[in-house]
Amino acid sequence: MTISAERTRVAQFRRALGLATLIDVHTHFMPKQVLDKVWAYFDAAGPLIGRPWPITYRLDEDGRVATLREFGVSAFTSMLYPHKPAMAAWLNAWSREFAARTPDCLHTATFFAEPDAAKYVREAIDAGAVVFKAHVQVGGWDPTDPLLDDVWGALADAGVPVVAHCGSGPVPGAHTGPEPIARVLARHPRLALIVAHMGMPEYGAFLDLAARYPRVHLDTTMAFTEFVEEAAPFPPADRPRLLDAADRILWGSDFPNIPYGYADALAALTRVDLGDDWLRAVCHDNAARLFGLT
């Protein structure tokens, strides 16, 4: 499907809900040499992927920004993450510059479990970062590592949300699943945690955390799509709980690294069948409130 056809479908989705724009809290922008390696990993269906995964929006940086704007996305993120030590501070410097030249991108930062993490996280907060990315699966670190205690504390004190890939999908990691991040929340209950991918496949356990901690959110990234439902279906019995957490579920797409169209992911949300008010909250209003956007 062409970008033009996708744009039409996304516009129809927005128009049906009366939404002028969407806010996407889970999009990936990173230095070209890093993104090239990420795409190569997806192309090879690496061990953290577990299945063939074609990249739908394999565009240059300007093309990717333009595509999101054509879809009516008024705010998005640059979810970037290190896979080894001594990488996060460099990524944060890049993302700060990217946000400065891309005003509709929410200034994003990241971290790794390493001795200087607390220092560069505070520097990123002071520089204006409004959201962080934590990738437990790729990083392979333990969220309860003492090296990160001051990081979680700084984020909680500053009220800066962190999007954490802490669920065990698509394949489990050494420290994925609800238990490690639950121990972090027990120590830092004011942490504004956004659980990526609805916590798949441990959906219910992460909904439990959202019920327990009022600052825990979940993003919809890839959830409910046919691609994911084949391997990690959302439990029908838990669908009513999505209404209980209706004010803390956020639209995320994983653009550009998705094996289907952007409009297909939005269509998957409509199949959850929780009503237009729920969709408006998820696709715009909740993120607007969380990030202070108009």
Side-chain angles (χ1 to χ4, degrees):
M1 180 175 290
T2 66
I3 296 294
S4 176
E6 283 280 301
R7 181 175 63 240
T8 298
R9 290 181 63 200
V10 175
Q12 289 170 340
F13 174 89
R14 291 191 287 106
R15 188 161 52 247
L17 295 174
L19 288 177
T21 67
L22 306 170
I23 299 174
D24 191 336
V25 304
H26 198 132
T27 63
H28 293 283
F29 289 88
M30 54 189 72
K32 182 180 185 303
Q33 63 268 44
V34 177
L35 187 61
D36 286 346
K37 290 180 180 179
V38 170
W39 282 352
Y41 192 87
F42 276 92
D43 290 342
L48 295 183
I49 304 238
R51 63 190 295 192
W53 196 304
I55 304 295
T56 298
Y57 299 98
R58 198 183 296 264
L59 306 167
D60 64 18
E61 184 179 285
D62 289 343
R64 282 178 278 125
V65 171
T67 297
L68 286 174
R69 289 171 177 165
E70 288 176 16
F71 290 162
V73 179
S74 59
F76 52 91
T77 58
S78 59
M79 295 280 107
L80 70 182
Y81 46 86
H83 63 277
K84 61 183 180 180
M87 185 178 178
W90 169 69
L91 289 174
N92 289 348
W94 182 91
S95 63
R96 181 170 62 249
E97 188 274 333
F98 177 74
R101 59 186 165 84
T102 315
D104 36 356
C105 179
L106 298 171
H107 181 175
T108 310
T110 189
F111 56 87
F112 194 87
E114 54 191 338
D116 60 340
K119 176 178 181 293
Y120 64 67
V121 163
R122 290 193 184 94
E123 289 173 349
I125 293 171
D126 290 343
V130 298
V131 62
F132 278 70
K133 169 68 171 183
H135 209 312
V136 175
Q137 183 196 43
V138 168
W141 39 260
D142 184 345
T144 66
D145 190 316
L147 290 171
L148 294 176
D149 194 51
D150 286 346
V151 168
W152 300 122
L155 292 170
D157 290 345
V160 175
V162 53
V163 176
H165 186 138
C166 46
S168 297
V171 294
H175 305 288
T176 59
E179 292 82 7
I181 204 71
R183 292 196 291 273
V184 171
L185 288 165
R187 183 166 175 81
H188 302 283
R190 295 184 297 111
L191 181 67
L193 178 72
I194 303 172
V195 178
H197 305 282
M198 299 293 294
M200 71 175 65
E202 298 105 342
Y203 303 105
F206 284 104
L207 282 167
D208 290 342
L209 290 179
R212 190 178 313 153
Y213 296 100
R215 300 216 69 199
V216 170
H217 298 66
L218 303 99
D219 81 33
T220 66
T221 305
M222 298 194 74
F224 315 115
T225 63
E226 292 180 3
F227 185 82
V228 165
E229 287 287 294
E230 293 175 3
F234 190 89
D238 280 334
R239 285 198 178 189
R241 304 183 68 192
L242 299 176
L243 285 173
D244 295 336
D247 61 338
R248 285 180 289 138
I249 299 176
L250 311 170
W251 164 239
S253 69
D254 233 355
F255 176 94
N257 304 334
I258 45 177
Y260 44 73
Y262 199 90
D264 294 328
L266 292 169
L269 289 183
T270 67
R271 292 194 296 271
V272 179
D273 197 24
L274 293 178
D276 288 356
D277 288 344
W278 186 82
L279 287 169
R280 278 188 286 270
V282 168
C283 292
H284 181 274
D285 296 351
N286 292 342
R289 183 176 60 254
L290 180 63
F291 290 105
L293 305 172
T294 55

